[in-house]
Amino acid sequence: MTETAKTHVILLACGSFNPITKGHIQMFERARDYLHKTGRFIVIGGIISPVHDSYGKQGLVSSRHRLTMCQLAVQSSDWIRVDPWECYQDTWQTTCSVLEHHRDLMKRVTGCILSNVNTPSMTPVIGQPQNESSQPIYQNNNIPNGKPTAAKIIGKVGEGLSRICCVRPPMERFTFVDENANLGTVMRYEEIELRILLLCGSDLLESFCIPGLWNEPDMEVIVGDFGIVVVPRDGADTDRIMNHSSVLRKYKNNILVVKDDINHPMATVSSTKSRLALQHGDGHVVDYLSQPVIDYILKSQLYINTSG
């Protein structure tokens, strides 16, 4: 399968990250490795989106601290970024709204007009770049007929990730069209399928089965329109979990479960264990948290005198 034929993916993880652990970062790495091994996907970015302060979870420290810790945890990564959008809103945002925000943002970051590939080319475009200058997006430099290539498009996506940290790819297949093209006789270039997938552990998947915890229309959008990549924890039986939810069963093909790697066991993901280790002065905290995060916690005196 050629690279342009593969689905290009951005992984998005939502959560408290209170604090962010080595296990959280390892989830991204494990998910990317697994998706690449399937031969069907290319992961072009990862996004960490810490929850808003008004989420109301006991012991949740300020988003100012959580954002800083997340940034320290990914400072050596060339593909995972921290997105502050969720924290900067007026109130708590649902996971569904965060996914939708990033999908809309993706349309702008590409610098291209997006049109649904399943509709005739004369159909009005569904999104336009915002605040664009008169400078053409694509220059006619050694590109036949000035047409953008797949590499150019993905390159722009990568630039956007590095520049503003957050991106939002849609689930369906789109054709990227030169913004300066005559929209009346629009030309179709190479198709690149871009998707944003929610990255989570099996505990979040299991929470979908708790009656009343999730809004069912939101679940339909999250699993049906976007899709989920699950990194199981502690040998969880994901098939059993999915069979307990009608929505999960309905969209089972949109749920990608990362297979266990016995040669590379997962680091501890639990932020609760990390906080307890900090409160008790447990030296094993170095197994849970990266050193820059530990240093910041100690300097800011976080979690040390709190419970939970």
Side-chain angles (χ1 to χ4, degrees):
M1 183 180 288
T2 64
E3 288 208 356
T4 54
K6 294 179 181 180
T7 299
H8 291 70
V9 167
I10 292 177
L11 298 169
L12 169 68
C14 298
S16 301
F17 301 107
N18 187 44
I20 188 168
T21 67
K22 289 181 178 180
H24 288 128
I25 305 302
Q26 193 175 3
M27 284 178 64
F28 276 92
E29 301 288 352
R30 288 276 294 276
R32 181 176 68 162
D33 290 347
Y34 176 75
L35 292 179
H36 286 177
K37 286 177 182 177
T38 67
R40 297 186 291 127
F41 303 96
I42 298 176
V43 177
I44 61 173
I47 302 170
I48 293 172
S49 181
V51 75
H52 192 274
D53 286 341
S54 64
Y55 181 58
K57 191 173 184 178
Q58 183 178 4
L60 186 68
V61 302
S62 165
S63 59
R64 173 174 64 87
H65 291 305
R66 290 182 288 115
L67 284 168
T68 300
M69 288 186 285
C70 288
Q71 288 163 350
L72 289 170
V74 302
Q75 61 184 351
S76 62
S77 174
D78 61 358
W79 69 282
I80 306 172
R81 298 292 180 266
V82 181
D83 171 33
W85 180 84
E86 189 175 352
C87 291
Y88 287 172
Q89 301 312 295
D90 292 335
T91 187
W92 170 76
Q93 302 293 308
T94 64
T95 300
C96 185
S97 66
V98 176
L99 284 163
E100 289 172 342
H101 159 74
H102 285 289
R103 181 176 59 195
D104 295 338
L105 183 59
M106 181 61 176
K107 296 175 185 178
R108 300 197 297 271
V109 168
T110 59
C112 300
I113 293 168
L114 300 173
S115 60
N116 194 314
V117 76
N118 296 317
T119 58
S121 60
M122 299 298 287
T123 300
V125 296
I126 61 172
Q128 275 194 344
Q130 306 295 312
N131 303 320
E132 296 293 342
S133 67
S134 58
Q135 183 73 15
I137 292 293
Y138 298 103
Q139 302 294 333
N140 189 13
N141 296 332
N142 302 319
I143 303 176
N145 301 320
K147 295 182 180 180
T149 64
K152 280 277 186 178
I153 294 167
I154 296 304
K156 289 190 67 61
V157 173
E159 291 169 11
L161 268 169
S162 299
R163 186 171 62 252
I164 60 176
C165 300
C166 37
V167 221
R168 160 180 211 41
M171 175 101 174
E172 60 269 47
R173 180 179 293 276
F174 283 95
T175 294
F176 289 80
V177 183
D178 189 333
E179 66 159 0
N180 297 302
N182 181 338
L183 294 182
T185 56
V186 69
M187 297 183 66
R188 293 195 171 277
Y189 302 140
E190 295 183 63
E191 298 169 17
I192 297 177
E193 187 177 1
L194 291 167
R195 291 178 64 179
I196 186 162
L197 297 175
L198 180 67
L199 175 65
C200 66
S202 48
D203 53 340
L204 186 142
L205 189 71
E206 196 159 16
S207 73
F208 283 152
C209 304
I210 301 174
L213 184 61
W214 288 83
N215 177 283
E216 189 155 325
D218 279 6
M219 288 178 60
E220 290 270 348
V221 172
I222 293 169
V223 190
D225 292 351
F226 289 92
I228 300 178
V229 179
V230 182
V231 181
R233 301 179 188 175
D234 303 321
D237 186 345
T238 53
D239 286 332
R240 179 191 60 80
I241 294 172
M242 287 188 277
N243 285 333
H244 276 76
S245 164
S246 60
V247 174
L248 297 182
R249 287 196 305 272
K250 180 180 178 181
Y251 297 110
K252 192 170 183 177
N253 289 339
N254 286 349
I255 302 172
L256 299 165
V257 179
V258 177
K259 304 303 181 184
D260 289 334
D261 186 346
I262 59 174
N263 296 317
H264 297 89
M266 280 289 293
T268 297
V269 177
S270 172
S271 294
T272 301
K273 288 183 179 179
S274 302
R275 293 194 301 272
L276 290 172
L278 287 163
Q279 291 162 23
H280 298 150
D282 186 345
H284 285 99
V285 70
V286 297
D287 297 328
Y288 308 150
L289 308 177
S290 66
Q291 193 59 51
V293 172
I294 294 174
D295 292 343
Y296 180 84
I297 289 172
L298 295 177
K299 179 181 178 180
S300 305
Q301 289 293 291
L302 302 177
Y303 310 117
I304 307 302
N305 298 314
T306 59
S307 60

